[in-house]
Amino acid sequence: MSHRPHICVFCGSSFGVSPAFRENAARVGAELARRGVGLVYGGGRVGLMGVTADAALAGGGRVVGVIPDPLATREIAHHGLTELHVVPGMHERKALMSQKSIAFLTMPGGVGTYEEFFEILSWAALGIHRKPIGLLNIEGYFDPLLALLEFGAEQGFIRSEFLAPLITSDNPENLIGELLAYIPPPAVPRKIRLDEA
């Protein structure tokens, strides 16, 4: 991998109903390429995944795909990438994507996208990484998710510092800029209580 920074993007393998989803996915890919920031993503050629990768490639950007072997063999892997890593399963995929990235950006998607977002958020809460996590809130797609997180905090299940690395915007260019400028707060050692598990 080159020494340039890479941002990991989680997003859907479908296009969604609104044309704004596809338009903003293309803006993400183009902005990463414009800034000289590499894209790390799930390695597919379909849906918003493919749109983001193709836009980054069209802008001369570096695109690294990480895809589990069962999905790659279903012929949805994008074979025009700078790098394509085929890994055994989903756990290895997320670990490698995280290792290669300085930040995470989540766009609209389905249960797989939500699962990736929550695992990365939980890793931050556990101190496994200190990287920023962006939500590109296109047409309010993540409003219910943000309300859920806020409700969890109000009910005492989510500590406010767990949400500190979360950056939300409806503008791709601004969000990428904020992710790149993010400085994590000083680490505060603490013990995880059993009632927080």
Side-chain angles (χ1 to χ4, degrees):
M1 187 171 85
S2 75
H3 295 295
R4 77 176 72 184
H6 288 64
I7 288 180
C8 177
V9 172
F10 302 132
C11 60
S13 57
S14 300
F15 294 113
V17 174
S18 172
F21 298 140
R22 189 190 296 234
E23 292 163 8
N24 280 271
R27 285 171 64 184
V28 167
E31 180 66 8
L32 290 173
R34 187 188 74 78
R35 288 177 176 264
V37 176
L39 165 66
V40 174
Y41 84 116
R45 59 176 173 77
V46 295
L48 299 186
M49 295 172 69
V51 171
T52 308
D54 288 341
L57 291 167
R62 177 181 177 81
V63 181
V64 178
V66 184
I67 192 166
D69 183 63
L71 296 180
T73 55
R74 288 186 201 165
E75 300 182 354
I76 66 166
H78 195 313
H79 293 287
L81 306 178
T82 312
E83 294 178 20
L84 179 64
H85 299 269
V86 180
V87 295
M90 295 299 288
H91 298 296
E92 294 86 356
R93 176 196 228 180
K94 285 175 289 188
L96 186 57
M97 291 168 80
S98 176
Q99 175 189 330
K100 290 182 172 290
S101 305
I102 64 163
F104 306 93
L105 192 162
T106 305
M107 289 192 289
V111 293
T113 301
Y114 282 118
E115 187 270 338
E116 289 169 326
F117 165 78
F118 273 111
E119 182 151 3
I120 289 299
L121 186 63
S122 68
W123 287 358
L126 294 170
I128 296 172
H129 74 81
R130 302 185 68 219
K131 303 171 185 179
I133 304 165
L135 279 175
L136 185 57
N137 196 18
I138 303 165
E139 297 196 340
Y141 184 80
F142 288 117
D143 285 352
L145 172 61
L146 293 167
L148 176 64
L149 292 172
E150 183 178 336
F151 182 71
E154 290 171 357
Q155 296 301 311
F157 288 103
I158 301 174
R159 296 172 66 100
S160 59
E161 61 263 33
F162 291 175
L163 303 179
L166 195 56
I167 301 169
T168 304
S169 176
D170 61 1
N171 181 288
E173 294 81 12
N174 290 349
L175 181 56
I176 290 169
E178 289 188 63
L179 291 172
L180 292 172
Y182 177 81
I183 299 173
V188 179
R190 69 178 195 86
K191 295 179 179 179
I192 302 287
R193 300 195 316 263
L194 289 179
D195 62 356
E196 292 178 334

